[in-house]
Amino acid sequence: MSSLESNGLQIEDLQVSYSNGEPVLGKLNLSLPEFGIYTVLGPSGSGKSTLLRAIAGLLPGYGGKLLFNGRTVHDQHTLVGLVPQNYGLLPWKTVHDNIDIALKIARPGEADKAAREAQIERWLTAMGIAGLSGRYPLSLSGGQQQRVAIARAFAIQPAILLLDEPFSALDAMTREGLQRLFLAGWQEHPATALFVTHDVEEAILLGQRILVMPAGKAGTAEAPELLDNSAVFGMPYEDKRDSAEFMERSRTIRRMMQERWQ
Ligand code: ADP
């Protein structure tokens, strides 16, 4: 394999079974080049969260290989950030301290206090919540908590960034604001990002490529489809929704959903 081919996230024959034995993900093969946003669409139960959990190292075991730039993703060299659906903030820590503790854990001994403070300030400002630094998570709205979770994920400067339906609990306006902030954050720190969503529009607005998971047990169904979305990805956010390219992607994906998920 050339060095170019091994750049990014390589998923080779990934297979996951939970204790009941049935394979949830079966022989999944994917090659995701570094520095891209990959949105993941699939029906409930198709293994989207399981895929993220495997990459995040949250499963006791799996079959196959997960490589990042040619090395296993779990060798301590690859920093993985996770933004869960329920924000995952520590309620007994302030916004500032939630990010600070993540930095200490993710980069032990690497950043001194001044460097950590600079990162915290930078990402809270980028997410438009510098004024909330001293607040506790439970005193914030869902949208504000999700901004903190995104600021925290970017602040550790992960090589791989995993987002599991991060905006699904938010109203449409808040969601749109966070989609823009997420894209702006990613421009500043272009991690290899996997973004799970059940919203077709969100998948097209955010993804450079769109991974469409097959329905049902992946072990017994066909392989997932990786659709190119670079035409929409390259546009300014505000132009995307009304573009012919967006409509075309939307039609294609809806047709796939009808054919493959029903
Ligand atoms: P998705 O995120 O696409 O909705 P999941 O990855 O959450 O799918 O789940 C895929 C399948 O694995 C489902 O059938 C689900 O019931 C099963 N599953 C998920 N987590 C566990 C678990 N901890 N133990 C047993 N089965 C699980």
Side-chain angles (χ1 to χ4, degrees):
M1 195 185 281
S2 78
S3 60
L4 197 64
E5 278 171 331
S6 64
N7 254 359
L9 184 62
Q10 302 287 329
I11 300 174
E12 295 178 7
D13 290 337
L14 177 67
Q15 194 161 21
V16 178
S17 305
Y18 289 105
S19 48
N20 49 7
E22 290 266 340
V24 172
L25 286 175
K27 303 280 174 159
L28 182 66
N29 284 285
L30 278 174
S31 180
L32 306 176
E34 206 175 355
F35 312 124
I37 301 178
Y38 305 97
T39 43
V40 185
L41 271 174
S44 182
S46 59
K48 304 181 296 297
S49 298
T50 300
L51 172 63
L52 294 200
R53 267 183 241 138
I55 299 168
L58 298 175
L59 293 178
Y62 57 82
K65 284 188 190 159
L66 288 170
L67 304 173
F68 189 73
N69 292 347
R71 308 161 77 151
T72 170
V73 296
H74 303 135
D75 70 353
Q76 311 293 320
H77 291 277
T78 306
L79 208 48
V80 181
L82 177 66
V83 180
Q85 196 171 341
N86 61 359
Y87 325 128
L89 301 173
L90 303 173
W92 60 89
K93 297 253 178 221
T94 61
V95 165
H96 172 281
D97 289 355
N98 261 280
I99 302 178
D100 197 35
I101 196 167
L103 284 169
K104 285 180 186 161
I105 293 168
R107 300 183 167 274
E110 212 178 286
D112 61 17
K113 188 164 167 43
R116 291 202 311 276
E117 290 303 325
Q119 273 299 87
I120 295 168
E121 169 79 25
R122 173 184 168 202
W123 285 102
L124 286 180
T125 303
M127 293 297 135
I129 48 170
L132 302 181
S133 179
R135 298 267 293 271
Y136 286 88
L138 295 179
S139 74
L140 305 177
S141 70
Q144 289 170 329
Q145 290 186 60
Q146 197 53 282
R147 287 181 194 221
V148 178
I150 294 171
R152 180 178 62 177
F154 276 120
I156 66 167
Q157 297 183 276
I160 300 174
L161 180 55
L162 306 171
L163 304 102
D164 196 357
E165 301 202 23
F167 306 151
S168 62
L170 305 172
D171 64 82
M173 285 296 289
T174 307
R175 172 186 274 240
E176 191 174 318
L178 281 173
Q179 288 170 345
R180 288 169 184 261
L181 283 173
F182 168 68
L183 286 172
W186 182 84
Q187 296 281 352
E188 263 197 63
H189 178 76
T192 301
L194 267 80
F195 189 116
V196 170
T197 177
H198 60 253
D199 185 296
V200 174
E201 192 170 87
E202 182 163 82
I204 305 170
L205 287 170
L206 299 184
Q208 191 167 17
R209 296 194 195 173
I210 303 167
L211 179 64
V212 183
M213 301 289 275
K217 299 266 185 291
T220 57
E222 70 261 66
E225 194 99 32
L226 195 55
L227 295 176
D228 179 46
N229 191 43
S230 42
V232 179
F233 190 71
M235 291 178 196
Y237 181 92
E238 53 277 14
D239 296 343
K240 289 183 180 179
R241 240 190 221 98
D242 295 328
S243 68
E245 292 86 349
F246 183 95
M247 309 278 176
E248 186 279 320
R249 286 289 78 171
S250 180
R251 264 196 304 274
T252 303
I253 292 171
R254 283 179 205 286
R255 202 179 317 120
M256 286 175 71
M257 285 162 70
Q258 272 166 7
E259 284 168 8
R260 304 181 74 177
W261 295 5
Q262 283 170 7

